[in-house]
Amino acid sequence: MASMASRTLWAALKRPTFLLSSWPWRAMAYLLSGVPVGLLGLIAITAAVAVGGALAIVLVGVPLLLAVVLSGVPMGAVERRRLRLLDRREVHTPHELPGAPGLRPWAATRLKEAASWRELAYTLLFVTVLWPLDLLAVVFAFTVPVGLMATPYLLAAYGDGDRTMALKQWAVTSYPEAWGMAALGLLLLPAAFYALTALAGARAHWARTLLT
C-alpha cells in the first residue's frame, strides 16, 4: 500500500497523512498549470481558424485548417505529460508510427486514427470549458476559507465603527465573532484541499481515459 500511495493520487487520498504530503500541492499544480496551456491553445486555435478560414478560398489557409484538425495531437502529448503530476504510472501514447517518414504520411496516419479525433474533442473542450472551470474552482475553494480567516484583520484594519463584513455577506461586530469566523475558515481549509484534489483526480482520470 505504501508503494501505491507514492504513485497515485487516489491511494494517497486514503492515507491520514495526505494533507502533510506533496499531493495536495501536486493537485493544485495540475489544475493551475492547465490555465496557461488552455489559454495558449485557445488563442492558437482561434487565430488559425480565423486566418485559415479567410484564406481557404485561395487554398493558402487549408494547411492552417488542417493544423487545427490535428491540434489535438500536440495537446494530447502535453496533457499526457501533465498527468505525471498526479499519477506516476507510465503513460503510453495511443498513436501508431507512420509507415514512411515525412509530414504527409504522418498527417495521413493521424487522420485515420480514432485517437487523433478523441484528442481533438478533448482539446476543444479543454480550451473552451475545462481550464476556466479549473481556475474558477481553485479561486472559489480558497476564497471562502481565506476570506473567513482574514476577518479579525479586516475588523482591526478596516472596521467601520467596529463593524466589518465577512465575505461581504455577514456582519461582524466583535472580536469573538471575528475569531469564530477565522476558526471556521481554518476548518474549511482542509476541506478545500480535499475537494480540489478530488476534482483534479477526476479530471486526470478522464484525460487518461481519452488520451492514452
Side-chain angles (χ1 to χ4, degrees):
M1 177 62 72
S3 61
M4 284 302 294
S6 66
R7 296 183 64 199
T8 67
L9 177 144
W10 295 114
L13 268 173
K14 300 175 183 178
R15 297 175 64 85
T17 57
F18 167 74
L19 291 175
L20 301 177
S21 70
S22 65
W23 286 103
W25 304 106
R26 294 167 72 94
M28 297 309 103
Y30 178 78
L31 293 174
L32 293 177
S33 64
V35 174
V37 173
L39 183 58
L40 290 175
L42 177 62
I43 293 172
I45 290 174
T46 302
V49 169
V51 176
L55 298 178
I57 191 171
V58 292
L59 301 182
V60 179
V62 173
L64 283 175
L65 297 178
L66 179 61
V68 172
V69 173
L70 292 173
S71 63
V73 176
M75 183 65 79
V78 171
E79 287 297 283
R80 283 189 289 273
R81 290 187 66 86
R82 288 206 313 123
L83 286 175
R84 299 290 291 174
L85 285 167
L86 299 183
D87 194 332
R88 292 169 178 167
R89 295 173 298 175
E90 187 176 357
V91 180
H92 298 283
T93 176
H95 296 293
E96 300 178 1
L97 292 175
L103 182 59
R104 186 186 296 272
W106 178 87
T109 301
R110 295 295 171 261
L111 290 173
K112 294 176 182 177
E113 292 177 324
S116 299
W117 297 101
R118 289 198 306 270
E119 287 174 329
L120 177 61
Y122 176 88
T123 296
L124 295 178
L125 188 61
F126 177 59
V127 301
T128 56
V129 177
L130 294 180
W131 73 262
L133 290 180
D134 291 343
L135 179 60
L136 183 63
V138 172
V139 170
F140 178 78
F142 287 112
T143 294
V144 174
V146 172
L148 290 174
M149 291 167 62
T151 305
Y153 168 75
L154 295 176
L155 182 62
Y158 303 105
D160 183 12
D162 294 328
R163 173 190 172 94
T164 190
M165 300 295 292
L167 298 177
K168 299 183 179 181
Q169 297 291 328
W170 300 287
V172 177
T173 58
S174 67
Y175 280 101
E177 287 181 279
W179 286 110
M181 290 289 185
L184 177 60
L186 188 62
L187 291 175
L188 289 176
L189 195 58
F193 275 112
Y194 272 100
L196 288 175
T197 302
L199 172 64
R203 284 271 288 104
H205 176 75
W206 183 63
R208 175 182 281 272
T209 301
L210 283 179
L211 303 177
T212 64

